Amino acid sequence: MGGDTIAMSEGRTNAIEGAPPSNFIKEIIEEDLRTNRFGGRVHTRFPPEPNGYLHIGHAKSICLNFGLAEEYGGLCNLRFDDTNPTKEDIEYVESIIEDVRWLGFDWGDRLFYASDYFEQLYEYAEQLIKLGKAYVCDLSPDEIREYRGTLTEPGRESPYRNRSVEENLDLFRRMRAGEFPDGARTLRAKIDMASPNLNMRDPVIYRIRHAEHHRTGNKWCIYPMYDFAHCLSDSIEGITHSICTLEFEDHRPLYDWFLDVLGVYHPRQIEFARLNLTYTVLSKRKLLTLVERGYVRGWDDPRMPTLSGLRRRGYTPEAIRNFAERIGVAKTNSVVDIALLEHCVREDLNKRAPRVMAVLRPLKVVLLNYPEGQVEEVEAINNPEDPSMGTRKVPFSRVLYIERDDFREEPPPQFYRLAPGREVRLRYAYFIKCVDVIKDPRTGEVVELHCTYDPETRGGNAPDGRKVKATLHWVSAAHAIEAEVRLYDYLFTKPDPSDVEEGQDFTANINPNSLEVLPSCWVEPSLKGAPIGSRYQFERLGYFCVDPDSANGKLVFNRTVTLRDTWAKIEKAQRANQDS
Ligand code: ATP
Ligand code: MG
């Protein structure tokens, strides 16, 4: 232990003299290590309330808490803040455990529940009563609110504020015993009704709730409030740095008050700015609304900013962790451009996703001079970014599909892809030239192209050195497998979804076109049996991931992101601005 501490402090010295810590929380931790405030320990926690699925904002907090513990050789607990039985559910507990693990973090044997501490918290509450620092109040919730005053007006003292310790103890024990209905009484801290901080105006610390709890069943009918349970859970677990979002800054005096009055071990609360993302809502209440009202197919709908949604969409844990690292930690709220999140997943998938060919909106191409029944295999590179990923064989034959968008009967200027009389390259295969356009006689729609191929151009180069201006992806019609592809757009039409007219809520900004289903696409045969969750780059179309809806050999893909990197463009523009 002693040796560890020395080794650690040597590391810290370097950190202090070398590059400065990249966030203010690290500075605080390093200061605490220097002054030995917590005996050289760093112990954080991630404290979700199991009332919804985790989202990308939680990922920021998870990466921060687990990341700091890792960096300073400390520990991080996973603790469920399960003090509100009516909103919580075991389904949420299970999804949260799965998601934190998926992100790549490990809490060892330190999975805790605030409900495990209910008995101890109750004892602390009795202690407060005995110290004359808490009282049972008979005001209704509405009356409590009314007595509380406002930011400009002090509150009024409850008529029950000066009950004797004996009466308070008796009433509190009878609250626990179930003698009173919901809302009849509360236990309140006795602090200061004139405090400029509303949180200090005799806050409620216990309320009556005759509700079954997902862990403690019907053992309790009184439940502690968040502010009381949270600081004491931190204290019980020996947390050193209790990191939370900015809205708890005004609660910090209360956090400190409970611990000081009870004279127990005292962690340090530090607040940071929560993550906000453009085109995204990150409130569990709003996400629940989207699920309950059927705007999405569930918590794990690939359009949701939940970790389970992002996973289904094809995001990797590495991309999300990298995103969390890049956005950093600040003390003032801001909004992060969702393009940065997309940039992070592109960057990761670019390196590791095998490239394949798939045609989303097929147009049939017949090569008139290619022998009927002949099949040859062309060699394709799995990932030019990583030669160790090798090559594969892709079948080529007389009838192919290309992308409908890659042909124009009357090509506008700058359109270099296929058009009547024009020659293009088929990736890894041959040059082909369009010699005829077949149309549906009724609708005039182009239904098939007749082309010729140049056998001399095998591999995609002409021996005579002639050039083509476009290279198209394709699949062999006889060999390709059919697939459903789901394309996604943002769930909201506005960068700030809460920007609404009076009387509307955020659902007014829902994008009616956030999902486009393409039921009959064609993918190259190497994708046969691709496992659920596997990720690919479809050449020229983006990154795609196999959806769990795939069944009976029929593959379903979600598009994770397109290849177009708007973030890279933004960064380039920002740099140009700085230079000028
Ligand atoms: P709500 O969505 O109702 O605001 P919550 O996000 O506070 O709920 P919790 O389960 O209490 O949900 O959150 C667990 C932890 O994650 C808390 O420490 C909280 O501060 C942090 N957290 C929540 N949202 C964000 C966010 N957008 N950015 C960073 N951290 C967040
Ligand atoms: Mg919360």
Side-chain angles (χ1 to χ4, degrees), residues 223-244:
Y223 290 95
M225 301 298 286
Y226 174 88
D227 281 323
F228 181 70
H230 196 83
C231 59
L232 288 164
S233 302
D234 282 346
S235 174
I236 291 166
E237 292 176 14
I239 299 303
T240 55
H241 299 88
S242 178
I243 299 165
C244 59

Side-chain angles (χ1 to χ4, degrees), residues 38 41 43-45 75 77 79 233-243 255 265-268:
F38 297 106
R41 288 187 311 121
H43 198 153
T44 56
R45 84 288 172 264
L75 299 170
N77 298 354
R79 182 204 315 144
S233 302
D234 282 346
S235 174
I236 291 166
E237 292 176 14
I239 299 303
T240 55
H241 299 88
S242 178
I243 299 165
Y255 185 102
Y265 168 78
H266 197 145
R268 173 170 188 172

